[in-house]
Amino acid sequence: QVQLVESGGGLVQAGGSLRLSCAASGSMLSINTMGWYRQAPGNEREFVARIFRSGFTNYADSVKGRFTISRPNAENTVYLQMDSLKPEDTGVYYCNCNANTRYYNGSEYWGQGTQVTVSS
């Protein structure tokens, strides 16, 4: 009932910027949080950023000061502005949504992922 569609990934040189987007759709009563995780080959999926309905945000220490998550007007689209990108930011970025539906509360949903590659 809930689908997430990501866009904005690509190839960029170190120091450059990318803006990721994720649109949530489906039979949602409300969205509690939306966020981003990433996974590099051979590594575990790691938390990047998350935004709550109130606008409160959390960031991984590795991206603080460089990435900005936003969800304008608490709508169903979340953005991740990535500045000053580093090669270690390379990975597949996954959109995450914690939402309430008609049948379930606080369920987790994931997008298919979008590749971000940062060259040195």
Side-chain angles (χ1 to χ4, degrees), residues 77-118:
T77 302
V78 65
Y79 302 93
L80 185 67
Q81 178 67 43
M82 304 185 294
D83 298 320
S84 302
L85 283 163
K86 304 174 181 179
E88 50 262 45
D89 294 320
T90 293
V92 178
Y93 283 67
Y94 297 92
C95 182
N96 167 266
C97 175
N98 183 288
N100 303 321
T101 68
R102 179 180 179 182
Y103 301 104
Y104 303 100
N105 285 175
S107 297
E108 296 284 341
Y109 301 91
W110 296 91
Q112 291 296 113
T114 184
Q115 178 70 42
V116 172
T117 303
V118 184

Side-chain angles (χ1 to χ4, degrees), residues 36-82:
W36 294 92
Y37 291 70
R38 68 187 182 188
Q39 186 170 19
N43 294 333
E44 296 182 347
R45 185 175 299 187
E46 65 175 355
F47 167 79
V48 175
R50 195 164 201 167
I51 186 167
F52 293 79
R53 187 165 52 211
S54 65
F56 182 80
T57 58
N58 292 144
Y59 295 95
D61 288 341
S62 60
V63 306
K64 286 182 179 178
R66 300 188 298 117
F67 291 9
T68 303
I69 189 170
S70 63
R71 185 187 169 200
N73 304 120
E75 295 295 338
N76 293 354
T77 302
V78 65
Y79 302 93
L80 185 67
Q81 178 67 43
M82 304 185 294

